[in-house]
Amino acid sequence: MRPVLRPLQALARVPAYLWAAVLVVGMLVLLALVTRVGQMPGAHVINRAELLVINTTAAQAVALPYVWHNERRDWSGQATYRLRLPAALGDAPLDDGLGVLLPRAGVHYRVQFNGHEVAAECWRRGPGYCDAGTHAHFVALPQALMAPVWADNRIDIQLQGQSLRISGLSPVWVGPRDTLNARYRWLRWWQVDLTWMVTASAFMMGLLSLLIWVRTTERLFGLLGGGLLVLTVRLWLSTPIFVPGPFPLWDYVHKLSFTWYCGFVYLFMSELFDFRQGIVRRLVVAMMALGPFWLAMLEWTANYQLYRLWTGVIVLVCVAALLAVIHRARWGMNVNQRMMVVVGLAVMVTGLRDFLVVQMGLRGDVDIRWMTPGSLVLMFAMGWVLVRRTAVAMEQVARHNTELARKVREREQELHAVFERLQSVESQRVLEAERRRLTRDMHDGLGSQLVQTLNMVRSSGQRIESEAVASMLHHALDELRLTLDSLEPMDGDLPTILGTLRQRVGPALQAAGIELVWQVEEVPAVPGLEARGVMHLFRCLQEVFANVVKHAHATRVTVRTWEEGGRIGLSVADNGVGLGSMPDAVFQGGGRGIGNIRLRAAEIGATVRFSSAQPGTCVSFMFDTRAVSDAQRPDFV
Amino acid sequence: MQATPPAQGSSGPIEDTRIYLIEDDPTILHFVQQTLLLRPHWRLIGQAGSLAQARQEALLCDANVFLVDLGLPDGRGEDVLRLLARHQPDAELLVFTVFGEESRLVGALEAGATGYVLKGCSGEQLIEAIEQIRDGGAPISPLLARLLLKQFRAVQDSLPDFPPSDLVGEVLLSERETDVLKLVAKGYVNKEIAHKLGISPATVGTHIKNLYRKLAVHSRVQVVRAAQERGLL
């Protein structure tokens, strides 16, 4: 496979415009070969006719091709071209009969042979759009209608005028029927079948371009789609069809489609060559905008000079556009632009050839125009450029997507790393806060209890009171258990927190002969009561119960919870001596008194209130159900 | 821990209490021995200081109360509980713990424990705990109740929409048991709960003990289900 692939790969590296150049040169050579002036054995061309225009005085001899409107200057009426059969044909009678080939006759025509109608097109179909002059016609001459004397045979070709259409007759071929019929089929393929092929291709490509334009909103596709669709209309009206409706309307569409086609092609080129601004572009847009009005005026006045003028405008604009392209080429062109220049030059060659052959009499098949295959090549070249652009754009999108994905991945990794660092910092911060809290609790609770026990043992000397030491160690153990309780997950469940505390303080109250009345009801979770908050609440309530046991002389203490207007309440009320009778140290804010309770309550987002319970004291805590942020908490140590 | 008044007996008369201690701390052994002097007809029939010894001796002994330390030198007390629950189904399994951390107690209850007692308690408190559990009661704390409520809710959520009725009775909480747990979680003691629900305090204790049994069953159901999912059963 490698020996085969290598040359193919080398060929694939050749720029596309060079390929295109080779192909169009090949096409031009092929066209030159197939449109050589051929021989039709036995056929004769008739270059002279006798013209009789209706309502004129006398017949006149004319040389073909001849446009009879040149004589009338209006579009009405009929004309008859009378032809005589060449004498040479009569000398050698034909076995397969005679035929006539009309390369161009129109717009409407009828053929009479010796006074009998033998062919007609667009002659009596009524109002509608029909142009027989766009293609060749073959007419068989019946043997039965032959005059006994050869010189008496005559062919009358009658033409009807049509507004704004040139009406005339080109040289006529007469000869063996089969020979002329073969030539006719050959011309029909070029003039009709090829046109239909170009029409269908233009329609499909135009539709495709418009669809891509709708999806991508890229102007280039819109311009190409518009150009190809108006070209489709133009070509469709240039084929042998009959369209009902007023002729001027379809003639207007036919002429306007050409104007717009030229405009769209130029705009497409300007978009492709990136010279969007400039006087030529403005001229083209003005031409496209003015065209409908100018051509409407043309149809209204039926003045053919207006059309000639308009054609001149189109030619001038196209020449200006061509100059702009050449001007632009000074800055260099990319492969697509070179491709279009190559194909554009080839199309210009086809137009030049048609002009030289048809108008200047250069040797060549005058009935076969190169412009039709030329426009097909131009169309496919434009399509190829678009496909290439789309492919490049898709490759760019794919590259951008890959790049974007890579960047997103990098950012994700960076974010992940930052998040992990933040998480680590946050973990460290939480750990530090917990360490400080536990240290503080150990220091205030267990530590001080053990120090007290130690001091007591030391001061007791040899007489250690084991009961007292056991009691103090038991108390120390309770302190430790309280700290561990605060670490259990309670999720801000106030009744459970109170119940846990009850286990610790309940025996002390019982020992002091104080009845505990439990009126705890289910309330919503308190947001700030996580481990640290729980310990603060424990300490607050420990302080309150200690005051009750030590100072209140109470016999009963009631613990109650409730919910009120989105807030949660907790109260501890005793029936003791009341606020006024307690020692100052308890409620004057010093040491382990109210100040400590207030400070701890503030830290868990609660407000605390001391009031008289008549008799006794009531300490109430009110918790806000909103979460307490760390920023709001004082740094309480 | 709160005390539960005597209710129905579980395995023979309370005078016939035969205790087996699984604990590596000799001071605790001494404490238990001293405490049993308060109840001369109770007997300490054996003691194991390690998991290995407990496996060899405790599973075959004739005790009806086992005191089990969770932190053994050669293994976890939960493993001992699991073995005892299988080999000594009628015995009471009391966990001996220093701090009574509820999170760990749930694991012990799932392994088969029927109660717990705090190390550092007085001899009277130990006697009271043993009598309570022998009379059909069980200790509980508000936090433990809260954890159990969550645990049983998780069990309920994990069951299919229409579980077998026998499974529901064996694994899920009854309405009364739920009420009891909720009140315990709010800090109420057995006497107050009994008053609120119009039942006797002993019945409250019975409900609590039932909860522990269901928790152990639940644990076993989970093991069976996991085995089924893995295609082992």
Side-chain angles (χ1 to χ4, degrees):
Chain A
M1 286 299 286
R2 190 163 291 174
V4 179
L5 281 177
R6 198 166 292 163
L8 287 177
Q9 286 168 348
L11 286 175
R13 282 194 290 273
V14 176
Y17 63 90
L18 289 182
W19 276 109
V22 171
L23 287 175
V24 293
V25 167
M27 180 196 77
L28 293 176
V29 171
L30 193 66
L31 280 174
L33 287 174
V34 299
T35 58
R36 283 177 304 174
V37 178
Q39 296 296 319
M40 285 190 284
H44 296 262
V45 63
I46 302 175
N47 289 322
R48 297 197 62 80
E50 194 179 334
L51 176 66
L52 180 65
V53 180
I54 293 177
N55 297 331
T56 56
T57 52
Q60 57 173 324
V62 294
L64 299 180
Y66 187 80
V67 176
W68 63 282
H69 277 147
N70 288 344
E71 302 300 320
R72 273 188 75 82
R73 299 292 175 196
D74 68 29
W75 309 102
S76 62
Q78 290 182 8
T80 302
Y81 289 76
R82 175 161 295 173
L83 312 176
R84 298 286 176 183
L85 292 179
L89 276 176
D91 298 340
L94 303 169
D95 296 336
D96 53 354
L98 275 180
V100 177
L101 179 68
L102 306 174
R104 288 181 74 86
V107 177
H108 316 280
Y109 78 89
R110 177 168 69 163
V111 179
Q112 287 185 321
F113 183 49
N114 293 331
H116 299 276
E117 182 178 309
V118 291
E121 187 151 337
C122 308
W123 186 254
R124 48 176 102 79
R125 296 193 64 169
Y129 178 83
C130 185
D131 187 353
T134 56
H135 53 285
H137 305 273
F138 170 74
V139 180
L141 298 179
Q143 197 69 30
L145 297 179
M146 280 287 186
V149 180
W150 181 261
D152 293 341
N153 285 312
R154 67 177 193 278
I155 302 170
D156 290 334
I157 300 173
Q158 294 178 313
L159 303 179
Q160 266 179 1
Q162 177 62 56
S163 179
L164 294 175
R165 287 292 167 113
I166 299 297
S167 187
L169 185 69
S170 64
V172 177
W173 287 86
V174 183
R177 195 178 291 178
D178 290 344
T179 305
L180 292 183
N181 199 22
R183 168 71 176 169
Y184 164 73
R185 284 199 300 274
W186 177 237
L187 290 180
R188 184 166 177 96
W189 187 88
W190 280 96
Q191 294 171 346
V192 179
D193 298 344
L194 190 61
T195 305
W196 273 120
M197 278 192 270
V198 179
T199 307
S201 302
F203 179 67
M204 293 306 294
M205 279 184 62
L207 217 54
L208 193 65
S209 299
L210 281 186
L211 283 175
I212 296 174
W213 174 60
V214 168
R215 294 294 299 270
T216 63
T217 66
E218 194 180 347
R219 276 168 56 91
L220 202 62
F221 290 99
L223 293 171
L224 182 65
L228 290 175
L229 288 185
V230 294
L231 176 65
T232 304
V233 173
R234 167 86 183 177
L235 293 173
W236 175 59
L237 292 173
S238 303
T239 53
I241 53 163
F242 178 83
V243 188
F247 188 96
L249 174 67
W250 290 111
D251 185 61
Y252 173 77
V253 173
H254 184 253
K255 289 181 166 66
L256 182 61
S257 63
F258 180 68
T259 302
W260 278 0
Y261 172 65
C262 292
F264 274 122
V265 167
Y266 172 75
L267 291 178
F268 171 81
M269 291 294 185
S270 69
E271 193 81 12
L272 186 67
F273 282 73
D274 286 334
F275 46 93
R276 299 187 182 183
Q277 301 303 323
I279 191 163
V280 180
R281 185 186 173 84
R282 283 195 288 274
L283 267 177
V284 170
V285 173
M287 180 186 82
M288 292 176 75
L290 187 63
F293 302 104
W294 186 279
L295 295 173
M297 192 168 68
L298 167 68
E299 296 294 338
W300 179 259
T301 60
N303 184 350
Y304 202 75
Q305 297 305 323
L306 287 176
Y307 186 61
R308 288 202 172 95
L309 191 60
W310 186 245
T311 308
V313 169
I314 293 174
V315 169
L316 279 176
V317 171
C318 288
V319 169
L322 183 65
L323 292 175
V325 171
I326 294 168
H327 182 68
R328 168 67 178 78
R330 291 189 308 162
W331 286 280
M333 290 181 284
N334 62 27
V335 68
N336 288 337
Q337 292 162 345
R338 288 179 184 181
M339 170 93 171
M340 290 313 299
V341 168
V342 166
V343 176
L345 283 173
V347 174
M348 285 173 68
V349 168
T350 62
L352 188 64
R353 177 266 175 194
D354 288 348
F355 175 76
L356 291 175
V357 170
V358 176
Q359 303 295 335
M360 306 300 288
L362 194 73
R363 189 174 169 77
D365 193 334
V366 72
D367 296 322
I368 297 178
R369 307 295 165 88
W370 285 17
M371 274 293 280
T372 308
S375 62
L376 185 65
V377 170
L378 179 67
M379 198 167 64
F380 280 115
M382 290 193 289
W384 185 88
V385 167
L386 284 192
V387 168
R388 211 181 137 76
R389 275 177 69 96
T390 308
V392 169
M394 286 172 72
E395 280 171 14
Q396 276 180 344
V397 167
R399 271 203 305 276
H400 289 159
N401 277 345
T402 309
E403 180 69 10
L404 194 63
R406 187 183 62 77
K407 284 184 177 171
V408 167
R409 204 164 45 245
E410 281 177 6
R411 294 291 175 274
E412 269 181 0
Q413 284 169 350
E414 285 172 15
L415 279 175
H416 192 64
V418 169
F419 180 70
E420 278 184 344
R421 278 203 298 277
L422 282 174
Q423 216 173 18
S424 168
V425 169
E426 176 63 13
S427 300
Q428 290 296 327
R429 195 188 68 76
V430 171
L431 279 176
E432 179 62 18
E434 280 302 290
R435 190 190 64 75
R436 286 167 64 188
R437 185 182 73 79
L438 286 172
T439 306
R440 188 182 68 230
D441 287 337
M442 293 290 179
H443 179 269
D444 293 351
L446 181 64
S448 67
Q449 195 65 42
L450 289 173
V451 168
Q452 281 176 31
T453 310
L454 182 62
N455 288 337
M456 196 196 76
V457 170
R458 278 177 180 160
S459 63
S460 299
Q462 297 300 317
R463 298 176 293 100
I464 295 175
E465 295 176 26
S466 59
E467 279 297 318
V469 172
S471 167
M472 294 185 83
L473 285 175
H474 197 269
H475 197 68
L477 202 54
D478 275 347
E479 276 294 328
L480 192 54
R481 283 173 179 153
L482 201 63
T483 302
L484 290 174
D485 281 347
S486 74
L487 296 174
E488 290 287 344
M490 297 201 224
D491 303 328
D493 188 348
L494 188 58
T496 302
I497 294 167
L498 294 175
T500 304
L501 184 68
R502 182 182 183 177
Q503 288 186 300
R504 308 293 171 219
V505 300
L509 289 172
Q510 198 176 2
I514 300 171
E515 182 195 0
L516 178 58
V517 180
W518 201 252
Q519 294 180 348
V520 173
E521 296 304 324
E522 205 159 332
V523 289
V526 180
L529 288 184
E530 80 303 342
R532 181 164 51 171
V534 168
M535 200 61 213
H536 283 311
L537 186 61
F538 279 172
R539 293 291 182 218
C540 286
L541 294 175
Q542 259 188 322
E543 190 71 27
V544 172
F545 283 119
N547 287 334
V548 171
V549 172
K550 289 178 187 170
H551 309 295
H553 305 295
T555 58
R556 191 178 69 245
V557 61
T558 305
V559 178
R560 195 165 74 88
T561 59
W562 71 95
E563 187 187 1
E564 181 184 276
R567 303 180 79 199
I568 295 162
L570 159 66
S571 71
V572 181
D574 65 69
N575 63 346
V577 295
L579 283 171
S581 306
M582 289 201 187
D584 287 350
V586 177
F587 290 111
Q588 298 305 315
R592 294 164 59 86
I594 285 180
N596 222 348
I597 295 175
R598 285 192 192 283
L599 212 52
R600 286 184 184 276
E603 195 159 352
I604 54 178
T607 54
V608 62
R609 182 168 167 264
F610 296 85
S611 60
S612 175
Q614 302 293 343
T617 307
C618 179
V619 184
S620 310
F621 297 85
M622 294 302 294
F623 297 91
D624 205 332
T625 49
R626 289 173 304 172
V628 181
S629 70
D630 287 346
Q632 289 173 300
R633 289 201 180 99
D635 188 15
F636 179 81
V637 178
Chain B
M1 185 181 69
Q2 52 182 268
T4 308
Q8 59 198 32
S10 58
S11 56
I14 199 161
E15 292 76 19
D16 182 23
T17 298
R18 303 176 300 279
I19 299 168
Y20 190 98
L21 176 66
I22 302 172
E23 168 67 65
D24 60 321
D25 184 353
T27 64
I28 297 293
L29 173 62
H30 180 69
F31 165 71
V32 172
Q33 285 169 337
Q34 290 298 311
T35 299
L36 290 188
L37 295 176
L38 298 172
R39 290 287 185 275
H41 44 278
W42 289 11
R43 287 181 295 147
L44 180 64
I45 64 165
Q47 185 263 340
S50 65
L51 178 61
Q53 192 184 354
R55 272 183 175 151
Q56 283 185 349
E57 298 174 8
L59 300 184
L60 303 172
C61 76
D62 188 29
N64 50 16
V65 174
F66 287 86
L67 294 175
V68 182
D69 180 26
L70 290 180
L72 294 170
D74 59 344
R76 292 161 53 84
E78 287 87 345
D79 296 334
V80 178
L81 287 169
R82 215 165 275 121
L83 287 171
L84 288 172
R86 199 161 61 218
H87 292 92
Q88 304 274 9
D90 295 328
E92 301 292 349
L93 309 179
L94 265 172
V95 171
F96 231 166
T97 169
V98 178
F99 298 116
E101 311 104 291
E102 279 78 357
S103 312
R104 196 168 181 194
L105 276 180
V106 171
L109 291 170
E110 284 183 333
T114 51
Y116 63 94
V117 62
L118 294 178
K119 285 180 181 175
C121 64
S122 64
E124 288 79 8
Q125 285 171 323
L126 177 59
I127 294 285
E128 193 183 343
I130 293 172
E131 284 178 346
Q132 177 196 20
I133 204 162
R134 292 279 284 132
D135 285 339
I140 194 166
S141 72
L143 189 52
L144 184 56
R146 187 171 185 279
L147 289 175
L148 292 183
L149 276 170
K150 282 174 79 172
Q151 194 84 1
F152 278 103
R153 205 168 292 138
V155 173
Q156 189 159 13
D157 292 345
S158 69
L159 286 179
D161 290 342
F162 301 102
S165 56
D166 56 336
L167 191 65
V168 171
E170 232 185 330
V171 175
L172 295 184
L173 289 179
S174 69
E175 197 175 335
R176 183 60 90 190
E177 287 163 350
T178 308
D179 292 341
V180 169
L181 266 191
K182 282 183 176 173
L183 286 169
V184 174
K186 283 193 273 189
Y188 289 92
V189 295
N190 285 12
K191 195 175 161 188
E192 292 164 341
I193 294 168
H195 181 68
K196 274 181 175 285
L197 298 180
I199 55 177
S200 74
T203 311
V204 174
T206 307
H207 282 312
I208 293 167
K209 197 162 188 180
N210 271 341
L211 294 173
Y212 292 170
R213 187 183 55 77
K214 286 185 178 180
L215 195 65
V217 171
H218 161 233
S219 172
R220 285 197 291 277
V221 168
Q222 272 188 327
V223 170
V224 170
R225 184 174 298 153
Q228 282 173 336
E229 283 171 2
R230 287 167 177 77
L232 299 177
L233 289 178

